[in-house]
Amino acid sequence: MATDKVAYWIDIADYDLETAEAMYQTGRRLYVAFMCHQVIEKTLKAYWSKTQESDPPYTHNHMRLADGCRLYELMSDEQRDFLDIITNYNIESRYPEDKEALSRTLTDNVCRKIIDDTKQLQQWIKDKL
């Protein structure tokens, strides 16, 4: 059963990564960041499903997920820093003025780096599966 859950989380994380790339190509920068947030969240939930007895918690907090499945302690400082950054892009509950301010910080170069860093962290987590 855990294998099915892992595959489920990885499949939708991979789909979200493709969506982030599509959003980048169409200039929808705010959604690039949000989808990358989702990629990391879902990949962490895959790792949780593989390594823990319980289902992953209903949370968008990457640090809580990584710490809860003991992955955080294995991460480099750079990976931890990125986790902190990407956690901030959970925009579904933000107010419009927050979205506008965040959107102004998301240049093409910043979005490309977010995607690239997301790919690297996602692959690192997948390698641990």
Side-chain angles (χ1 to χ4, degrees):
M1 184 67 152
T3 304
D4 291 343
K5 290 179 183 181
V6 171
Y8 165 79
W9 287 116
I10 292 298
D11 286 347
I12 59 175
D14 289 347
Y15 184 88
D16 288 348
L17 186 56
E18 291 174 17
T19 302
E21 288 282 7
M23 294 295 98
Y24 178 76
Q25 295 302 321
T26 58
R28 302 202 59 183
R29 295 183 193 129
L30 193 59
Y31 293 97
V32 168
F34 177 67
M35 294 314 299
C36 286
H37 173 280
Q38 292 292 295
V39 170
I40 298 304
E41 177 182 325
K42 292 168 185 173
T43 307
L44 286 168
K45 288 180 177 182
Y47 186 84
W48 183 295
S49 295
K50 177 76 172 182
T51 62
Q52 305 302 304
E53 294 289 324
S54 62
D55 287 336
Y58 292 103
T59 184
H60 302 295
N61 186 312
H62 293 116
M63 297 236 233
R64 181 173 171 215
L65 289 167
D67 191 49
C69 65
R70 295 176 181 80
L71 191 60
Y72 191 78
E73 62 198 44
L74 303 176
M75 291 180 169
S76 68
D77 289 341
E78 183 179 81
Q79 289 169 324
R80 290 176 184 170
D81 289 345
F82 179 67
L83 206 62
D84 187 42
I85 290 166
I86 200 68
T87 297
N88 292 322
Y89 293 123
N90 180 25
I91 58 170
E92 65 186 357
S93 62
R94 294 181 184 267
Y95 293 102
E97 60 272 12
D98 293 334
K99 286 183 182 180
E100 291 170 20
L102 182 58
S103 187
R104 285 192 294 274
T105 68
L106 294 170
T107 65
D108 278 345
N109 288 339
V110 168
C111 286
R112 185 74 257 161
K113 180 163 177 33
I114 289 169
I115 291 171
D116 292 345
D117 289 350
T118 296
K119 286 179 178 180
Q120 289 176 1
L121 183 56
Q122 184 195 35
Q123 188 58 55
W124 182 83
I125 297 168
K126 283 179 170 182
D127 290 346
K128 301 260 177 244
L129 293 172

